[in-house]
Amino acid sequence: MALVPDCPPDLRIYKPIFDCGLGLRRQQSEHRSRLLRKIRDSYCKALERLNLRARPGMAARFLDGGGFCLGFLDPVSNIVANTLISYGRAVSAAGECDLVYVPEEKLRDLERRSMDGMVTFLTRFFPYLPDCHAVRFLLLADADLMVAFRIVALDLGMSRIGSDKRAFDDALGMAFKCAAMAAKHPNPDRLSFDWLAISSRLHDTVRLLDEVRRRSPSSSLDKLPKLLDGSLLPVHSGLWAPFVAVADSRCPRSMPYLHSSALKGTLQDAIHGFYLKAIAQLPAGELRSRFHRSLLIAGHCYGPLDPVSNIIINTIWYDAAFPPTVKLEVDVIGTMILHRMETRSVFGLLSFLSTRYHHIDFNQAIRCLLQADGDLLLADHRLDAEAAADLEKAFFAAATAAYHPNPDAQAKALHSCPSQQISMLLQGSGQLSSEDVQCLARLLCPEAACSEQPLRPFPHPWHLYSHTRMSKKIDAALSAYAAMQSGEPTYELHTICGVNKYVSGPVGTVAKCYRTHVNFQATPRGTQFPTGTTPLLFFAEFCNDDDKDRAGTQPFVCRVSVPLPCTERVRCLYCDHMGIRIVHPVGEDFHGRKLDFEKMVCGEDPCDDDFDPAVEQPYYTNMQIINHSRGTTEMVRGRVEEDCLYNDPLEHRSDEYDCDLTLIRDVYDSDLDSMADECHVSYPMPEFKMMPK
């Protein structure tokens, strides 16, 4: 990120800059070499304890899946534990006992594969974490996987990680299996099962491992596999929690922040949750007829209240101050234009804090916001320093950075906002009524005309074809879902708030994608649900082929919950690749959740069974996901397809970006891994205008 040049000295306005932050190739190679040396030291200590020459058959077991550094204890204990488990279960084959040492080249291969597995574990669990950053975190942790895990979580501001135990267990288990597959372990499922069993007998396992020394009796070698094979897996949640607790005891007390490029993603995840909550609180009629426009043009999440309330008041104020001139009713909140608004809000929030306090930089501002759960004024109060600018000037900086159509008007409105009266109206999380909205509009914009002007019909109805098609699919899915629930309650669509039609693909020369992932909100209707019940959030997976829909292929639909800020989220390979923040279900199988990641880490194509890695480059890799997703996650200026619905002359426009997302993302289609130097591609900013006095 970079400050806009030629700003007045009292303002700090940030703009996106495509900064890979990967460092030079030479530096990356040096980090990998240093990490390998640390892993090698662990192997030397483990082999000293295992004493392969005095224990016939153990060297063969060490090479045949036993000698991996993967696990959730310290690196030496992981190697010893994996070897003992393999050794205790082995049936000796002819010639195995003759091998009493590990050849040097095979040991080096095990070290490299263990490193690949540990890097994969971190990049599979943490979205948008570059491989080279994972190496740096492991280096800081002295090759201790769980210590590195805790350091990454701290660096990315994920203070609530593990708060949803079911989601945490699910994510950690899938990440570990991917790690085993990336390391080419002969039996990844067995390895995952063993470490899950260790979690239920952690203290016993550590005690047994402490007994294994160079001259310990042979009777100590088969105790661990017997313990694990006789243990029952716990059925409660929090299966992996013991490892995290033990890792905390090994973490250094202080650690320098690495400022990974994934840090901003934690804040963007939180902000997306705020928008989903705000959309649920807006009344359905007004949202479909008017507020969809003001939400997507000026519904930023900065302001004098909490983030959700700020979105609501900015949306209502803009609709009242700058009402629409065209009649347009939609059931769909455009996905890309919503994501652009969320990204604009990020830069608005950070520019506000940096303008108020000149001593903090971009990353420090993000951390302040994450520590305050995205609450701008709470972060402002916690900084406990003399402000360099007043609130109105800071709101002006935020509005300018966030591309508000009228920064000066918004800054004045937010500064003069009657916060206490509005807070009373917005108490609770229930859906607002039409009367509530009208009252808020009068408080926020008392000078607005009382009588509504007649609206012109929308001149381009063909632009709504895809919206209509998606709404019909959702209505049919809701009816089927209600029928599965014995018909009570029924549901009424509130809005569709996230669509990714690029799932399970691309395949073939036409780059076909077979499925779509959708988030939508629906209000339950029934005797037990009063008027004003807050809409519920749903996830759906559809087939893109209408013929299959007509043939009776049922979509997958289930309830989901908005994740808490600063916690882990359920990942989808295809949605991550597009940079689209769809809320996916925990523990439910969908395309892009598990098998697709497993194929990716093995160098295969998740969508092409005929893929030949000898002659083709894989379409999906961790770095390609990061690279490709930036077309969405870094966009504040580019125009998207949904802009054609909002032909507002107050909006900033540029023919340079008059294109669909599929064209915008072409800017980013170079491989980050091949860059020798840091690459900077900045977005243009409008000519800066001084704030009127």
Side-chain angles (χ1 to χ4, degrees):
M1 306 306 126
L3 287 169
V4 173
D6 303 324
C7 267
D10 56 345
L11 296 182
R12 298 288 188 273
I13 298 176
Y14 279 102
K15 66 174 182 176
I17 186 168
F18 186 63
D19 184 353
C20 307
L22 304 184
L24 303 177
R25 269 191 170 183
R26 182 178 63 256
Q27 187 181 49
Q28 294 181 35
S29 178
E30 179 190 348
H31 288 161
R32 292 180 69 87
S33 297
R34 288 170 56 195
L35 178 57
L36 277 171
R37 286 196 293 272
K38 288 183 178 292
I39 294 173
R40 191 165 301 154
D41 289 343
S42 298
Y43 271 95
C44 290
K45 294 175 183 178
L47 289 171
E48 172 70 17
R49 287 174 60 180
L50 290 170
N51 193 13
L52 303 184
R53 290 183 180 276
R55 291 158 178 166
M58 186 172 285
R61 301 273 62 80
F62 180 88
L63 292 174
D64 187 24
F68 283 90
C69 195
L70 296 176
F72 296 139
L73 300 174
D74 64 89
V76 176
S77 296
N78 291 338
I79 298 168
V80 173
N82 287 330
T83 302
L84 291 181
I85 293 169
S86 179
Y87 178 71
R89 292 179 179 145
V91 177
S92 298
E96 280 191 353
C97 294
D98 298 336
L99 184 65
V100 293
Y101 76 100
V102 178
E104 185 74 13
E105 68 277 7
K106 291 186 179 295
L107 184 59
R108 298 289 88 84
D109 180 60
L110 266 178
E111 293 165 0
R112 285 190 294 270
R113 287 159 63 189
S114 291
M115 180 179 69
D116 291 343
M118 288 191 286
V119 169
T120 297
F121 175 84
L122 294 178
T123 58
R124 171 63 178 89
F125 189 95
F126 297 102
Y128 307 130
L129 180 68
D131 295 7
C132 61
H133 289 186
V135 169
R136 290 168 61 195
F137 284 119
L138 285 162
L139 198 55
L140 278 174
D142 290 330
D144 189 318
L145 183 58
M146 286 309 288
V147 171
F149 178 88
R150 299 301 288 166
I151 295 174
V152 175
L154 178 66
D155 199 82
L156 301 189
M158 299 178 69
S159 57
R160 285 197 181 89
I161 193 167
S163 57
D164 184 338
K165 292 182 172 56
R166 186 162 167 256
F168 181 75
D169 286 346
D170 196 44
L172 210 62
M174 289 189 291
F176 190 72
K177 183 177 179 183
C178 282
M181 296 179 78
K184 298 181 174 61
H185 190 279
N187 194 338
D189 287 312
R190 180 78 249 188
L191 184 68
S192 298
F193 184 89
D194 286 338
W195 280 97
L196 191 62
I198 287 175
S199 74
S200 64
R201 299 289 185 89
L202 184 58
H203 296 295
D204 290 337
T205 300
V206 173
R207 176 180 53 79
L208 292 177
L209 290 176
D210 285 342
E211 295 178 8
V212 178
R213 290 290 182 264
R214 181 176 179 82
R215 302 186 187 283
S216 55
S218 58
S219 59
S220 66
L221 303 181
D222 60 353
K223 290 182 179 179
L224 180 58
K226 287 181 179 178
L227 173 72
L228 300 185
D229 290 344
S231 65
L232 296 175
L233 293 182
V235 296
H236 57 79
S237 60
L239 305 181
W240 301 102
F243 294 119
V244 180
V246 172
D248 283 342
S249 66
R250 302 196 301 270
C251 278
R253 291 188 177 273
S254 62
M255 185 65 62
Y257 288 122
L258 294 185
H259 299 313
S260 171
S261 56
L263 172 64
K264 183 163 64 69
T266 306
L267 181 58
Q268 287 177 304
D269 283 341
I271 288 175
H272 182 64
F274 300 149
Y275 274 89
L276 293 178
K277 291 180 179 179
I279 290 169
Q281 286 189 242
L282 292 170
E286 286 82 348
L287 179 61
R288 293 176 182 176
S289 62
R290 304 176 64 92
F291 289 161
H292 61 89
R293 166 188 166 272
S294 53
L295 171 74
L296 299 173
I297 294 175
H300 301 90
C301 74
Y302 52 78
L305 304 173
D306 65 90
V308 175
S309 297
N310 289 334
I311 296 167
I312 292 172
I313 65 172
N314 281 321
T315 298
I316 294 174
W317 168 78
Y318 188 80
D319 179 77
F322 305 97
T325 58
V326 174
K327 183 178 181 180
L328 176 63
E329 294 202 12
V330 296
D331 292 331
V332 180
I333 301 293
T335 303
M336 292 304 161
I337 195 170
L338 176 61
H339 279 55
R340 186 181 64 189
M341 172 52 63
E342 294 168 0
T343 305
R344 288 176 172 179
S345 286
V346 168
F347 285 93
L349 290 165
L350 302 177
S351 296
F352 176 97
L353 287 179
S354 298
T355 295
R356 287 273 283 168
Y357 306 98
H358 291 183
H359 67 281
I360 65 173
D361 62 18
F362 186 86
N363 287 306
Q364 289 171 325
I366 292 180
R367 295 190 188 283
C368 288
L369 284 164
L370 290 174
Q371 290 164 7
D373 280 344
D375 190 317
L376 181 57
L377 288 203
L378 180 58
D380 180 77
H381 294 153
R382 286 182 174 179
L383 280 169
D384 192 26
E386 185 177 352
D390 61 25
L391 287 175
E392 185 174 348
K393 186 171 290 185
F395 280 132
F396 178 76
T400 303
Y403 285 86
H404 192 279
N406 195 324
D408 181 51
Q410 190 193 37
K412 283 181 166 54
L414 292 176
H415 184 251
S416 61
C417 173
S419 302
Q420 289 186 344
Q421 293 172 272
I422 291 175
S423 295
M424 292 181 64
L425 280 170
L426 294 175
Q427 282 181 349
S429 58
Q431 190 177 82
L432 297 171
S433 66
S434 297
E435 292 74 18
D436 293 333
V437 166
Q438 292 169 11
C439 186
L440 286 169
R442 287 192 296 270
L443 287 171
L444 292 165
C445 192
E447 70 277 10
C450 296
S451 60
E452 293 188 5
Q453 300 297 318
L455 302 179
R456 295 181 287 107
F458 182 61
H460 308 298
W462 54 87
H463 287 313
L464 298 174
Y465 169 74
S466 61
H467 285 198
T468 304
R469 180 172 173 267
M470 183 56 63
S471 296
K472 289 180 178 178
K473 282 181 172 259
I474 294 295
D475 285 336
L478 272 175
S479 297
Y481 179 82
M484 291 175 61
Q485 309 297 318
S486 302
E488 180 71 22
T490 59
Y491 293 91
E492 180 180 334
L493 178 63
H494 182 68
T495 192
I496 298 168
C497 48
V499 177
N500 177 22
K501 60 183 180 181
Y502 302 104
V503 177
S504 299
V507 176
T509 56
V510 296
K512 181 174 181 177
C513 295
Y514 287 96
R515 294 173 183 86
T516 292
H517 284 176
V518 183
N519 273 153
F520 63 93
Q521 295 177 350
T523 306
R525 299 299 186 199
T527 55
Q528 70 272 43
F529 297 101
T531 303
T533 298
T534 304
L536 305 174
L537 184 64
F538 288 82
F539 167 83
E541 182 179 270
F542 292 98
C543 178
N544 286 342
D545 191 338
D546 285 336
D547 290 337
K548 289 188 177 180
D549 283 348
R550 286 191 291 268
T553 302
Q554 291 294 323
F556 169 63
V557 180
C558 68
R559 286 268 311 278
V560 290
S561 299
V562 178
L564 291 171
C566 307
T567 188
E568 68 281 340
R569 63 176 170 86
V570 181
R571 295 192 62 184
C572 168
L573 183 142
Y574 304 107
C575 294
D576 285 357
H577 185 252
M578 293 301 299
I580 296 176
R581 285 174 160 81
I582 300 286
V583 179
H584 295 80
V586 176
E588 299 285 352
D589 203 14
F590 55 83
H591 291 84
R593 171 181 173 261
K594 187 176 180 181
L595 182 61
D596 310 76
F597 274 108
E598 292 173 1
K599 287 186 175 182
M600 182 190 79
V601 302
C602 292
E604 302 173 15
D605 191 314
C607 306
D608 185 2
D609 293 335
D610 297 324
F611 174 77
D612 185 356
V615 296
E616 299 175 85
Q617 290 292 323
Y619 186 80
Y620 292 104
T621 65
N622 181 54
M623 290 309 302
Q624 178 61 15
I625 288 174
I626 295 171
N627 182 22
H628 194 272
S629 66
R630 287 180 185 266
T632 301
T633 60
E634 298 288 346
M635 182 174 59
V636 297
R637 175 69 172 171
R639 283 178 52 76
V640 295
E641 188 175 9
E642 296 98 340
D643 279 325
C644 64
L645 303 178
Y646 307 104
N647 188 23
D648 193 324
L650 292 175
E651 286 187 277
H652 293 291
R653 302 200 174 278
S654 171
D655 291 339
E656 178 183 355
Y657 295 97
D658 192 10
C659 55
D660 185 89
L661 171 73
T662 54
L663 301 180
I664 291 174
R665 66 170 181 257
D666 289 343
V667 177
Y668 304 102
D669 273 347
S670 58
D671 185 3
L672 296 183
D673 230 357
S674 67
M675 293 183 179
D677 295 303
E678 291 186 357
C679 175
H680 299 278
V681 180
S682 61
Y683 289 87
M685 287 288 289
E687 181 181 352
F688 188 83
K689 296 180 181 180
M690 294 291 293
M691 177 184 174
K693 295 183 179 180

